[in-house]
Amino acid sequence: MFPQPEPARPAPQMTFEQMLERVRYDGAYPTRERAEEVVRAVLTALGRQVTGEERVDLAARLPVEAAGFLTSQAPATEQRTGRGFVKNLARCTGGTPATTRWDAGAVLTTVAQLAGKDLLARLLGQLPPGYALLFGSAELVRAA
């Protein structure tokens, strides 16, 4: 049996340092270290919500360090709504719901840019309601 070559990982659109600077700027964080703390917390929490091909595809589009945060935890057995995601993240980080919502938005808008329209649509289709605004997109609601 011959070893199978690993599929080539596409090069991310930005380096981890560039991602941190974008999040630092968008979130108005005073230091790069604070931006990294926020990126780590948000991506680790997101990784518990995203499963399957979407998780793999998203990890491939993130810088390697960020992909490590996303995939560091096993997916949760129960998905949370966007509001539940923020509330749980606030409990884990000790932040308020308002500051945690800000943190999530600062990170996830950058993630949305790296993911691209098609993958973002797939992610939002997989996640419960309430995540679109965190990713910087409008959430369309179907008429009942």
Side-chain angles (χ1 to χ4, degrees):
M1 183 136 287
F2 296 102
Q4 294 286 332
E6 298 254 345
R9 185 180 197 279
Q13 297 173 2
M14 63 177 66
T15 66
F16 186 60
E17 289 74 25
Q18 290 169 327
M19 181 182 190
L20 291 179
E21 283 306 312
R22 171 70 55 86
V23 170
R24 181 179 176 195
Y25 178 80
D26 290 349
Y29 300 112
T31 64
R32 182 182 178 278
E33 291 75 21
R34 177 64 183 133
E36 187 170 352
E37 289 172 16
V38 171
V39 167
R40 177 186 304 269
V42 172
L43 289 180
T44 299
L46 181 65
R48 289 191 293 266
Q49 299 300 306
V50 178
T51 61
E53 286 184 40
E54 289 76 15
R55 180 181 168 115
V56 172
D57 291 349
L58 181 58
R61 295 189 188 184
L62 295 175
V64 173
E65 300 88 341
F69 301 148
L70 181 78
T71 60
S72 67
Q73 300 288 315
T77 56
E78 184 178 322
Q79 287 187 315
R80 299 178 187 278
T81 64
R83 182 175 179 204
F85 174 82
V86 170
K87 286 175 71 174
N88 185 63
L89 185 57
R91 271 194 303 273
C92 292
T93 61
T96 66
T99 59
T100 303
R101 162 67 179 86
W102 179 269
D103 292 345
V107 174
L108 296 180
T109 54
T110 300
V111 168
Q113 176 191 357
L114 292 169
K117 280 183 164 184
D118 292 339
L119 179 53
L120 180 59
R122 288 176 30 219
L123 285 167
L124 293 175
Q126 181 191 88
L127 293 166
Y131 282 86
L133 289 175
L134 295 174
F135 282 97
S137 297
E139 187 157 5
L140 302 177
V141 180
R142 293 186 182 161

